[in-house]
Amino acid sequence: MPSWLRILMEQCWHQNPDHRPDFSFIKGILCAKVPARSVPIPVVDVNPELDAAALVELAVKTAKARDLDRASLMFARAAETEHTGAQTWLAWYYQNGLGVLERSLERAAELYEKAAERGNVGAQERLAKWYLEGIGVSVNAGRAIAMLERVLAVQERVLADDHASLLMTQNNLATAYRDHGQAKKAVKMLEHVLAIRKRVLGEDHPSLLITQNNLATAYRDGGEVKKAVAILEHVLAVQERVLADDHPDRLMSQVNLAEVYRDNGQVKKAVTMLERVLAVRERILAEDHPYLVVTQNNLATAYRDNGQIKKALAMFERVLAVQRRLLSEDHPEMLTTQNNLAELYRDDGKVKKAVTLFERVVAIRKRVLPKDHPSLLETQINLAATYQDNGQPDQAIAMSEHVLAIQKRIFAEDHPSLLMTQSNLARVYRKNGQFKKAIVMLEHVLTIWERIVAEDHPERLITQNNLALAYRDDRQVKKAATMLERVLAIQERVLVKDHPTLLATQNNLALAYKDGSQVKKAIALFEHVLAVQERIFDEDHPDRLMTQNNLAYAYREGGEVKKAIAMFERVLAVKERDLVEYHPSLLMSQSNLAEAYQVDGQVKKVIALLQHVLAVRERVLPKEHPDLMMTQNDLAVAYMSDGQFKNAVPILERALAIARNVLREDDPDLLDLQGNLADAKAALEKAKRNAINMKYCFTVDGVRLASMYISVGHFGEGVGLLEHVFTVRSRTLAFGHQDRLQSQLALGTAYHMIGQVWEAVLVLEHLVFTQRQMLTQDQPNGLASQQALAQAYVTVGEAKKAVVLLEHVITVRNNILKEEHPDLLASQAMLAAAYEDTSETDKAVEILAHIAAVHGKFLSEEHPERLETQNKLAMAFLATGEAAQTVALLEHVVAVRFRTPGEGNPDRLTSEMILALIKAVLESTEECGTAKIADHGDATKHAVECDALEASHAGNDTAAEAAEG
C-alpha cells in the first residue's frame, strides 16, 4: 500500500470525528494521486475469428473505459483459448467480483494456477503470495518458494540489480523462506537487498527502512536476536529524527522493537515501549481501529510475560468487548483476541473458561478456514495443551496428533511449525506419563534442529531443555544434568545474565542436581537464580515464585525443614493475596506446604490444609483429574500418619476406583494408590488385632505408618498388592528402572515386616547388588536399600553385617547431608540399634546422645521423633547400668507426653509403664547396689521391652474400645 494512502486511511480512522477529513478533501487527494482517465468507450462487435491477444487488448481498453461487464466477458472468452494474460486478468476479476462475475477466490486461484504453469510471471507472483497467506488455496510455503524462484530467475536475466520489481521479488522470496523455516536463506537474501538499497537510497528512505525492518525479523527468526535489536534500534533512531511521533511507520517500528525486546528477555523495556505506542494511538485513532487493537493485544501479552496477569486480562477483555460490538463472530482479529484471552485464562488458573473459549474459536475457524490453515492449527494446539491442564489427556493427545498429521502432509520435516507441534505433543506425552514416547519425539526434533541451525539458536536450545526435562521425568538424571549443563554454557555466552530463558535453564539444572542427590549444588544454584529474580521481578512474578518453591523443596531435601516451611509460607502468602482460591498454582503451593509440615511432624496442619485443597479441587475439577487423585492420596497418607486409618481407606478406595478407569495398569500414580491402600487396610487391620511388633518401634527411628501394611503372621491384601505392583513393573520397565527398583525395595521390606525375613534378605541383597552396578554411591535410593538390608540382617541375627552396611551409609550421608537431615538421623538410629545387638552399647549411647542433641536444636520439645529418640537413649542407658539417667530421661518423656497427647495414647501409656517397671526393678535391687543393675542390664532391658509391649497392647485395646463405643 502506498504511504500516502495509508496516511489517508489513518486520518479517516481518527478517534476524534472532528479531525476526520470530509469527502471533498478525500476526493481531492484521490484525484491528485489517481488522475481520471478520459477514454472513449469503444463500440466494437466481437469477431469470433479475432485472436486471443487482440481480444485481450480490446478487453483492457474496454475496462479503462469503465465498462467492466463487457470487459469481463471478453477476458472470459480469451481465457478459453488458454491465453495466459487473459487467464491472469480473468482471475483478477474473479478475485474482486468485477463485471458480471461473482467473487470466487477458488476460481481465481485455478486461473492463476493455469497461467503460472504456462510461465506467466504476474500469475506466479500473485499465486505465490496466496500460497504464503492461504488465500483461495491451502498454505504451502514450498510452492510459493518454487514460483518466486522462477520469477526471480526471469527477472535477474532482464532487469538491473537495483530495479524496483527485482528487489520486490527478492523481498517476497525472503518472506517465503522465513515462513518455510529457512531463516538463513531469508537473511542472506535480505542482506543482499539491503546492500543494494543502501547504495542507491538515502538512510531515511522508506524502502530502505522497510528492508531493515524485514531483515531484523529474519534475524529474530534465525535466533540472532541481538542483531535484530541493533537494526531496529537504528531504524527507530532514524525515524525519530525525520518522522512525527504519530507517524504509522515510526509506531510500527516501535512495536517491532518491543517484540524483539521481549525475545531478548528485556520485558520491562517492551512494556514501556508498547505503553508509549498505545498512548499515541489512543490519542489519534478510533477505539476500533485495527492498529490500536493490535497494540493492545501486544501490550497485554507483554504484561503477561512480565507477570502482570491482572493487567493483561483487563486489556484483553476490553479489546474483546470493542470487537464484539463492531465485528462479526468470525472476524480474524476477534478470533485472535479470543485465542490470546483463552491462553491468559489458562495461565490465570481459569482452565475451564480457557477450554470453553478455545473450543469456540476452533469451531468458528473450522467453519471458515481450510483444515490446514495455520490459524486453525495454532488454536487446536493451544486447545490440546489446555485439555492436558484440565485433566483431559486423551483429548489432548488426539488433537495434537491430528494437527501433526496435517502438518506432516504440507510441511517439510524441518519446518519450524512442524517441529514446534512435535515438541508440544512430546510435552503432552510427558504430562501423561509417557516419558519414552516424549523422549523419542524430542530426540528426533533435536536431530533436525542440529542439522539446520547453529548451536546457539533459541529453538535448538529450547528443545535440548525440553529433552533434558523428559530425561529427568524418566529418572535419567545424569543425562538430564549433562544436557542442561551444555545448554547453560551456551546461553551464558550469548544471553545477558538476567535473561529469563537463562534463569529458567539454571532452574531446571538445579532440579536435576536435586534429583541426582547433589542437594548442596542445587541449593546454591537456586539461591543464585532467586537473587537475580529478586532484583528484576516484583514479588508476585510467577518465575520468582516458582524459584522460591523449588528452593524450598531443595531445603526440605537437604534436611533444612524449617527454612523450607518459611519459604513455602512466604510463597503461599503472596499467592493467597493475588490469586482466586481455585487457582492451580495456589492449590499446588498449599499442597507443597502440607508436605513440608508432614516432614516436620505437624500432622494436624497437614490435614487441615489438604482438606481445604481437596474441597476446592472437588468443586472445580473433573473427578478423573490427576491433581484431584493426587490430593486424595496425600490426604489419606496424612490421615494414616495421624492414625486415622478409617478416614484414609474410603478416600483411597474412591481414588483408586477412578484411577483404574483412566490410568494404565503400569501408571506410577495407580501403583502408588494401590500401595497406599494396602498400607491403610493393613494398618487398620493391625489396630484391630493389636499386633504391632514393638521391636521396630524401638530400633527404627520415625517408623512410617505406611511401612506397617502387613498383618503379623500372614500375607494379607497388602503383600498381594505389592507383589502385583512389582510384577507389573518388572514386565513393563527396564531392568534398572528406578520405579521397578523402588517396588523391589517395598516388597523386600514387606517380607521383612511379616516375618519372611530370609525372603526379604534375598530380595534386598539382589536389589543392592543391582543398584551398586548402576548408581553412584551417594544416590539416595541405593542408600535406602542398603539401610533396609541392614535391618533384615539384624532380624536374622547377622548384626555385624548390618553394622558394616550402616557405617558405610552414614559415612556417605555425612558427606552430602546436613546433620539435621532426617535420612542421616534415621541411619544413625538404626546403627545404634545394631550396636546394641552386637553388645557395643557404649557406641549406641554415643550415637543416640548425638541424635538427641541434634533434635534438641531443630525440633520442638513435644515432637514425636525427639521424644522417641529420648526413649531409645533411656533404654540404652539402662543397658549400660546408668539407672539414674534412664529414670531422668523417661520422667521427662512422660511429662511431655502427659502434656500433649490424649489420655489413652499408646505412646504415653508405654512410657508410663516402662518408667514404672524400671522404678520397681530399682526398688527391688536397692540392697544389691548398682553392680547388680550393671551385671544384669540387658536382661532387665529385655524384661522392660516385653512389659512395654503388653502395655502398648493394653493401650491399643483402650483406644479400640473407645472408638467402637
Side-chain angles (χ1 to χ4, degrees), residues 126-141 144 172 175 179 369-370 373-375:
R126 176 69 60 179
L127 192 58
K129 182 179 179 184
W130 283 22
Y131 274 123
L132 285 175
E133 298 177 9
I135 301 173
V137 292
S138 297
V139 173
N140 192 330
N172 293 340
T175 301
D179 290 349
L369 298 175
H373 194 282
S375 297

Side-chain angles (χ1 to χ4, degrees), residues 855-875:
H855 282 168
K857 285 193 286 186
F858 295 100
L859 299 181
S860 60
E861 184 179 48
E862 67 276 4
H863 194 287
E865 290 180 19
R866 181 172 174 181
L867 294 170
E868 185 60 33
T869 299
Q870 291 169 333
N871 208 51
K872 291 176 186 177
L873 181 57
M875 302 306 294

Side-chain angles (χ1 to χ4, degrees), residues 816-838:
I816 62 174
L817 301 178
K818 295 197 173 183
E819 67 170 354
E820 70 272 18
H821 194 286
D823 291 347
L824 176 58
L825 295 173
S827 301
Q828 292 167 334
M830 290 179 192
L831 180 57
Y835 280 146
E836 289 180 354
D837 285 349
T838 58

Side-chain angles (χ1 to χ4, degrees), residues 31 34 63 128 137 178 213 220 222 236 278 379 383 490 510 649 686 695 738:
C31 290
V34 187
V137 292
R178 271 185 46 229
N213 238 314
R220 177 188 174 198
L236 186 57
L278 182 60
T379 310
L383 177 56
I490 296 170
V649 169
K686 280 185 177 182
K695 177 171 184 179
Q738 289 304 308

Side-chain angles (χ1 to χ4, degrees), residues 433-682:
Q434 297 172 268
F435 306 134
K436 300 294 185 190
K437 290 181 83 170
I439 287 170
V440 169
M441 185 156 283
L442 287 168
E443 286 177 338
H444 164 75
V445 172
L446 181 58
T447 299
I448 295 175
W449 282 123
E450 287 175 339
R451 194 180 73 230
I452 63 174
V453 299
E455 68 170 3
D456 58 355
H457 190 284
E459 294 298 340
R460 177 171 167 176
L461 294 172
I462 287 170
T463 304
Q464 289 174 312
N465 224 316
N466 292 339
L467 179 55
L469 293 178
Y471 283 145
R472 179 174 163 251
D473 290 340
D474 198 45
R475 308 292 178 86
Q476 301 183 53
V477 181
K478 285 186 178 179
K479 285 180 85 170
T482 301
M483 182 161 282
L484 287 167
E485 285 170 342
R486 196 159 61 240
V487 170
L488 184 59
I490 296 170
Q491 288 178 333
E492 285 177 334
R493 196 178 71 234
V494 300
L495 299 177
V496 292
K497 289 184 179 180
D498 57 0
H499 194 290
T501 303
L502 175 63
L503 297 174
T505 302
Q506 291 170 326
N507 230 319
N508 292 338
L509 178 56
L511 287 171
Y513 284 151
K514 178 178 73 70
D515 292 348
S517 76
Q518 297 175 278
V519 181
K520 290 181 180 178
K521 286 179 79 172
I523 288 174
L525 193 49
F526 279 136
E527 288 176 337
H528 162 75
V529 173
L530 183 57
V532 175
Q533 289 176 330
E534 285 176 340
R535 195 178 70 243
I536 64 174
F537 292 147
D538 296 330
E539 69 168 0
D540 58 352
H541 193 284
D543 290 353
R544 176 172 165 179
L545 292 171
M546 180 185 69
T547 302
Q548 290 173 311
N549 182 76
N550 293 341
L551 178 56
Y553 256 117
Y555 282 147
R556 198 191 76 186
E557 292 287 315
E560 301 179 80
V561 182
K562 300 297 184 189
K563 288 177 84 171
I565 288 174
M567 185 154 285
F568 277 134
E569 287 175 339
R570 192 156 67 243
V571 170
L572 184 57
V574 174
K575 289 183 178 180
E576 285 179 334
R577 188 189 70 214
D578 295 340
L579 302 178
V580 292
E581 71 164 357
Y582 54 81
H583 193 290
S585 181
L586 174 60
L587 295 171
M588 187 58 68
S589 290
Q590 290 166 331
S591 298
N592 292 343
L593 179 57
E595 284 184 35
Y597 283 149
Q598 178 89 29
V599 174
D600 199 42
Q602 303 184 54
V603 183
K604 301 298 183 188
K605 284 187 176 182
V606 176
I607 291 173
L609 256 180
L610 290 176
Q611 285 174 334
H612 165 76
V613 172
L614 182 59
V616 174
R617 282 180 166 161
E618 284 180 333
R619 196 174 73 241
V620 300
L621 296 179
K623 65 180 182 179
E624 67 275 7
H625 196 287
D627 289 350
L628 181 58
M629 287 188 283
M630 178 188 72
T631 306
Q632 290 169 324
N633 183 66
D634 291 346
L635 179 56
V637 170
Y639 279 144
M640 291 161 64
S641 298
D642 200 41
Q644 301 182 46
F645 304 111
K646 286 186 178 180
N647 288 337
V649 169
I651 289 179
L652 287 167
E653 287 177 335
R654 193 163 71 244
L656 187 57
I658 296 169
R660 281 176 172 149
N661 290 328
V662 298
L663 300 179
R664 304 182 314 278
E665 71 166 3
D666 61 341
D667 190 286
D669 292 335
L670 176 60
L671 298 174
D672 285 345
L673 282 169
Q674 290 171 328
N676 287 337
L677 181 57
D679 293 354
K681 284 186 172 180

Side-chain angles (χ1 to χ4, degrees), residues 42-56:
V43 180
V44 295
D45 292 321
V46 177
N47 186 343
E49 303 300 323
L50 197 64
D51 65 35
L55 191 55
V56 169

